[in-house]
Amino acid sequence: MARFIIEGGRALKGEIRAQGAKNSALPILTASLLCSGKVVIHNCPNLSDVRAVFKILRHLGASVEFSDSTAVIDTAGVNRYDIPDDLMREMRSSALFLGALAGRMGKAVMSFPGGCELGPRPIDLHTSALCRLGFSICEEYGELKLERSSMRAATIDLGFPSVGATENILLAAAISEGETIITGSAREPEIIDLAAFLNSAGADIKGAGESTILIKGVKRLYGTEYGVMSDRIETATYMSFAGLTGGEIFIKGADPSALSAVIPVVEAAGPRVYPVPGGIYINGRGTIYSVPPIRTMPYPGFPTDAQAPIMAMLSIARGTTIFIENIFESRYKHVDELNRMGADIRTEGRTAVVSGVPKLYGAKVVAKDLRGGAALVGAALCAEGRSEIKGICHIDRGYQSLDTTLKSLGADIIRK
Ligand code: UD1
């Protein structure tokens, strides 16, 4: 199993280019299933999760070509509506194929996406919304079977602004008769990106990014060419790396507008963040200070995906910072590993108390999820001595060639 060996203590310096957003690329690639005609997607990150979507699309009969961050998808040959268990398990957001297959084929058979490393990951909001749209869904032996009974437009009130459920409704209702309204929808920038992609293919969706979204069903979607937004969580991660190493990084193509909850926290901790034409420049030189309590919330609140990397940065702060994780139940798996490196973090339920320490030390640690893995990389970059990080398959799900990018910034990191 591959691992990272990192010799800590080098300030990261230089310029990198922001990757396309994983959480936009996955739903947009899935949505290409709805388009008749060639779909060209630019700024598509080369990640193991993205390659898992390609596998599912190919299994369903689509052709997929991918090179230089551009994916070209032709769904003319799609003739299946089943997804085998092993492909479903490769990627957490495979649940989005439920909405896409509902829209394309009126049918889907797939295994339950199930729980994951962040704790249980139910899809009850997805399935009840699809039922409201006139699909019948039954579950047998862990397998989900969806069938169109009488597709109808509906008003769907999501009790919680679930990102995935909002996306599944957009996918299922884009091609339909009548008007579907989502109230209480997720407002993440990636929802805006998905809706913009669908609109570029001929859909009629208004209000994405707000709590109420109006989807006027259209008869068909066409081929289109679209560029994925930049990855705000990758940018937040590099901000934490700059703070941890006292480095200076210019992230070309990064968008500060999607980070309005993160930038004030990073700046309150000490690093200076400058939105400049063409990207974001971060100066992480100087002392890291503790900040007021950080509560993860649905957008526009502080993103749960940035919790772990920012926690790593605050583990070396002067003072104590409290985190409250409101989105996922088990999102503190990096804490024990950070403590192995000398951090002083205690958790109880949804709360973590991070008492800053003057120094972290290299250690053997294991990445147990994607963002927690990135937090360990950040800690290792700052630590005195050598760290070995196992479980980097989790990191590869969301960061394109993290080791190569870090090397270009002067880090001493090897993949072994
Ligand atoms: C997406 C992101 C993930 C991010 C999360 C929250 C993608 C591919 N993933 O995940 O990186 O951490 O948003 O910003 O875009 N829930 C239910 N029932 C449901 C659906 C969700 O109880 O039917 C709960 C979940 O268990 C979780 C919370 O709602 O506690 C948030 O889930 P959701 O917003 O749906 O996140 P994802 O779409 O899975």
Side-chain angles (χ1 to χ4, degrees):
M1 267 232 257
R3 61 215 151 112
F4 285 148
I5 314 281
I6 297 174
E7 198 69 50
R10 295 189 177 197
L12 298 185
K13 281 206 175 98
E15 177 181 317
I16 58 174
R17 169 171 277 286
Q19 70 181 34
K22 168 180 93 76
N23 289 351
S24 262
L26 299 178
I28 287 173
L29 292 167
T30 308
S32 68
L33 203 55
L34 296 169
C35 304
S36 41
K38 199 162 80 173
V39 172
V40 180
I41 298 167
H42 300 291
N43 205 26
C44 183
N46 189 355
L47 305 168
S48 58
D49 267 11
V50 163
R51 294 191 292 274
V53 180
F54 292 161
K55 271 195 209 168
I56 297 178
L57 287 170
R58 288 190 183 113
H59 164 83
L60 295 170
S63 78
V64 182
E65 286 163 36
F66 183 53
S67 67
D68 295 334
S69 308
T70 296
V72 180
I73 298 159
D74 187 341
T75 64
V78 167
N79 55 3
R80 306 181 70 128
Y81 53 85
D82 66 299
I83 305 177
D85 188 53
D86 54 328
L87 292 184
M88 281 300 286
R89 279 174 197 273
E90 267 191 45
M91 183 204 33
R92 308 297 170 199
S93 61
S94 50
L96 294 178
F97 277 95
L98 206 54
L101 282 169
R104 166 88 189 211
M105 309 292 276
K107 277 181 184 188
V109 179
M110 58 176 68
S111 64
F112 220 76
C116 78
E117 62 266 12
L118 304 182
R121 223 148 162 183
I123 55 163
D124 53 307
L125 296 171
H126 306 226
T127 50
S128 61
L130 293 171
C131 290
R132 295 264 300 138
L133 288 174
F135 294 93
S136 66
I137 300 177
C138 65
E139 191 199 333
E140 272 171 22
Y141 310 112
E143 199 169 63
L144 282 168
K145 288 194 175 139
L146 171 146
E147 213 154 305
R148 181 183 288 140
S149 30
S150 56
M151 177 75 190
R152 55 177 177 260
T155 296
I156 299 164
D157 182 37
L158 286 174
F160 177 86
S162 157
V163 174
T166 303
E167 290 169 346
N168 248 333
I169 300 168
L170 292 180
L171 295 171
I175 302 175
S176 64
E177 277 173 25
E179 285 183 15
T180 298
I181 297 168
I182 318 174
T183 58
S185 50
R187 298 164 59 193
E188 268 68 1
E190 292 79 8
I191 303 277
I192 302 177
D193 217 24
L194 172 62
F197 166 78
L198 289 167
N199 285 344
S200 78
D204 185 353
I205 300 168
K206 293 196 177 73
E210 294 162 32
S211 307
T212 301
I213 301 180
L214 173 68
I215 307 154
K216 278 192 193 162
V218 295
K219 285 204 161 47
R220 59 189 298 190
L221 296 184
Y222 301 91
T224 182
E225 193 163 346
Y226 190 80
V228 173
M229 65 178 271
S230 66
D231 196 316
R232 63 192 169 104
I233 305 302
E234 186 208 30
T235 298
T237 304
Y238 280 101
M239 284 181 186
S240 76
F241 290 173
L244 276 158
T245 65
E248 289 174 67
I249 307 176
F250 175 61
I251 310 178
K252 212 172 166 180
D255 177 8
S257 69
L259 285 159
S260 55
V262 176
I263 292 174
V265 171
V266 172
E267 291 209 304
R272 272 84 58 216
V273 179
Y274 303 95
V276 291
I280 298 180
Y281 165 72
I282 307 132
N283 183 343
R285 279 184 298 167
T287 308
I288 300 292
Y289 297 95
S290 58
V291 300
I294 296 174
R295 294 177 173 79
T296 65
M297 303 286 265
Y299 194 86
F302 189 92
T304 173
D305 288 354
Q307 177 252 106
I310 298 297
M311 183 182 288
M313 182 177 83
L314 290 165
S315 74
I316 55 157
R318 263 196 209 159
T320 300
T321 304
I322 293 177
F323 283 77
I324 300 150
E325 172 54 60
N326 288 310
I327 307 296
F328 288 106
E329 267 176 41
S330 309
R331 208 157 197 186
Y332 286 140
K333 291 192 174 151
H334 45 285
V335 164
D336 284 349
E337 307 300 304
L338 287 174
N339 285 345
R340 277 175 172 247
M341 303 177 79
D344 179 0
I345 307 171
R346 277 161 298 137
T347 59
E348 197 178 312
R350 292 186 176 274
T351 305
V353 180
V354 183
S355 308
V357 294
K359 215 174 218 186
L360 297 175
Y361 299 91
K364 290 189 175 180
V365 289
V366 181
K368 294 180 178 159
D369 62 56
L370 164 59
R371 306 302 170 185
L376 298 181
V377 170
L381 291 169
C382 140
E384 184 178 307
R386 185 183 156 103
S387 296
E388 187 179 316
I389 304 175
K390 284 192 185 153
I392 62 174
C393 56
H394 293 296
I395 299 172
D396 290 335
R397 284 183 38 225
Y399 296 91
Q400 179 173 309
S401 328
L402 183 63
D403 45 332
T404 314
T405 309
L406 286 173
K407 258 188 216 147
S408 77
L409 293 172
D412 183 348
I413 175 170
I414 47 173
R415 178 186 288 260
K416 228 174 167 181

